[in-house]
Amino acid sequence: MKEDLQAIEREALAAIEQAENSQDLQDMKVKYLGKKGSLTTVLRGMGKLSKEERPVIGELANNVRETITEALDVKTEKLEREALNKQLEAESLDVTLPGNPVHVGGRHLLTSIMEEIEDLFIGMGYEVKEGPEVETDHYNFEKLNLPKNHPARDMQDTFFISNELLLRTQTSPVQARTMEAYQGERPIKMICPGKVYRRDTDDATHSHQFRQIEGLVVDKNITLSDLKGTLDVFAKKMFGKDREIRLRPSFFPFTEPSVEMDVSCKVCHGEGCSVCKNTGWIEILGGGMVHPRVLEMSGYDSSVYSGFAFGMGQERIAMLKYGVNDIRHFYTNDIRFLSQYHQA
């Protein structure tokens, strides 16, 4: 039996050394160490041995089993290492080759314009306020000195949801809500950007949905010169230090007096050209002194407080600053157009 065990060990070690893959090793493990393997078969004859022989043969059998098991583990590790090396050689990467370009997007032009305007006014001490896009008739019109059946409502073609609910036609309701919340107890210095909706026919300069940024300042001793100075800083920041502004009389129900602001044409520098229709000026926004009735409706004493307000179309600012000739370009998601302004 001793010779049989030694023969099994020699045969197993030689076979393991010749194994080419893990399946060969698994087959050998079953052949020599399995329940029906060579080693088990030999050990079944230990019952015929004398008491003196059994410990000797048992120890030898255990040594043979440990030797074969260790040889299997060593060979397995060797085959796995060789397989990994082959895989690494096959999948080698030349780090000197140029990489694949990664296409990175950028901010939408309207987002860049909005952030630029917000940064400017925040630097001047303004707060940024927001409000609901689905608004009530009360805040969209009545709190802005536009009672029901007022003819000035016809200036804004409105999307009504019900008799009292509508899609806001301007961001002015945010101003009305803010004044009402403060109840005349503190000054206000704010801008309110957001989307607004009007029943316009879409064309190169009109859209049923667009973005607006409005501003409001309410405090003691606010005058029209404060409004002009603020708008002059805005124009020079957005369009260049050499730009000039002018204010023309106009009408808005919620301001009195009301003005339209023009900025000098950047193409002809005020001389007159086709861009400015030979006037030297381009209309850009509207504003004025807050109507005393608007102040009173929100709890401000108009004999103590005064204020100015202004409003501009975000798309119009972008069109004038970057020479965009069709407002629809902002909404059609044409990457060829949008990618031109990722660094704007």
Side-chain angles (χ1 to χ4, degrees), residues 37 59 63 76 125 127 162 177 183 190 193 202 261 264 272 279 282 313 315 329 339 342:
E59 181 180 1
N63 291 337
T76 299
E127 295 181 276
S162 67
R177 288 177 177 273
Q183 282 297 302
M190 59 171 283
D202 289 5
M261 187 191 101
S264 57
T279 65
I282 298 175
E315 288 85 349
H329 289 321
S339 61
H342 283 172

Side-chain angles (χ1 to χ4, degrees), residues 14-22 24-25 28 75 79 82:
I16 291 171
E17 184 63 30
Q18 298 298 319
E20 297 181 353
N21 52 60
S22 59
D24 290 344
L25 293 177
M28 293 173 192
K75 187 66 174 182
L79 291 177
E82 291 175 352

Side-chain angles (χ1 to χ4, degrees), residues 64-81:
V64 171
R65 181 182 296 276
E66 290 177 1
T67 301
I68 295 175
T69 300
E70 183 179 353
L72 287 169
D73 292 341
V74 171
K75 187 66 174 182
T76 299
E77 183 179 349
K78 180 181 179 182
L79 291 177
E80 289 178 349
R81 186 167 56 252

Side-chain angles (χ1 to χ4, degrees), residues 197-215:
Y197 306 85
R198 298 183 186 178
R199 193 174 54 82
D200 280 334
T201 300
D202 289 5
D203 58 27
T205 57
H206 297 85
S207 174
H208 66 281
Q209 170 186 304
F210 57 97
R211 295 175 180 270
Q212 199 174 56
I213 298 179
E214 297 193 16

Side-chain angles (χ1 to χ4, degrees), residues 149-254:
N149 301 317
H150 193 290
R153 288 195 180 199
D154 293 339
M155 296 168 61
Q156 301 175 7
D157 295 322
T158 308
F159 289 106
F160 277 95
I161 299 172
S162 67
N163 289 335
E164 295 299 325
L165 288 178
L166 52 91
L167 298 180
R168 66 182 181 188
T169 59
Q170 54 209 353
T171 57
S172 302
V174 182
Q175 300 176 2
R177 288 177 177 273
T178 303
M179 286 192 290
E180 184 180 76
Y182 291 170
Q183 282 297 302
E185 297 179 354
R186 53 171 287 189
I188 298 174
K189 202 173 186 182
M190 59 171 283
I191 59 171
C192 41
K195 285 188 286 188
V196 299
Y197 306 85
R198 298 183 186 178
R199 193 174 54 82
D200 280 334
T201 300
D202 289 5
D203 58 27
T205 57
H206 297 85
S207 174
H208 66 281
Q209 170 186 304
F210 57 97
R211 295 175 180 270
Q212 199 174 56
I213 298 179
E214 297 193 16
L216 172 69
V217 173
V218 177
D219 204 344
K220 297 176 182 178
N221 302 317
I222 298 297
T223 66
L224 191 63
S225 62
D226 296 313
L227 171 61
K228 183 176 181 180
T230 299
L231 297 181
D232 187 56
V233 171
F234 165 76
K236 285 178 167 52
K237 174 66 175 178
M238 293 301 296
F239 301 107
K241 295 181 179 180
D242 58 340
R243 298 279 77 78
E244 300 293 334
I245 68 168
R246 72 175 183 181
L247 302 182
R248 294 179 288 105
S250 187
F251 167 76
F252 302 108
F254 32 84

Side-chain angles (χ1 to χ4, degrees), residues 132-143:
E133 294 179 18
V134 177
E135 191 53 274
T136 64
D137 184 278
H138 176 70
Y139 286 107
N140 197 81
F141 290 122
E142 295 178 35
K143 292 282 283 187

Side-chain angles (χ1 to χ4, degrees), residues 115-148:
E115 291 177 349
E116 186 175 355
I117 294 174
E118 285 181 350
D119 288 345
L120 169 62
F121 281 100
I122 289 173
M124 295 166 64
Y126 285 68
E127 295 181 276
V128 179
K129 300 283 189 179
E130 295 182 342
E133 294 179 18
V134 177
E135 191 53 274
T136 64
D137 184 278
H138 176 70
Y139 286 107
N140 197 81
F141 290 122
E142 295 178 35
K143 292 282 283 187
L144 301 174
N145 201 29
L146 283 161
K148 293 186 184 299

Side-chain angles (χ1 to χ4, degrees), residues 4-5 7-16 24-43 64-65 68-69 72:
D4 292 340
L5 291 173
I8 291 173
E9 181 179 8
R10 290 193 299 271
E11 180 184 339
L13 295 177
I16 291 171
D24 290 344
L25 293 177
Q26 182 62 30
D27 292 342
M28 293 173 192
K29 184 176 181 180
V30 173
K31 178 179 179 181
Y32 295 107
L33 304 179
K35 292 182 179 181
K36 298 181 180 180
S38 302
L39 186 59
T40 304
T41 302
V42 172
L43 293 177
V64 171
R65 181 182 296 276
I68 295 175
T69 300
L72 287 169

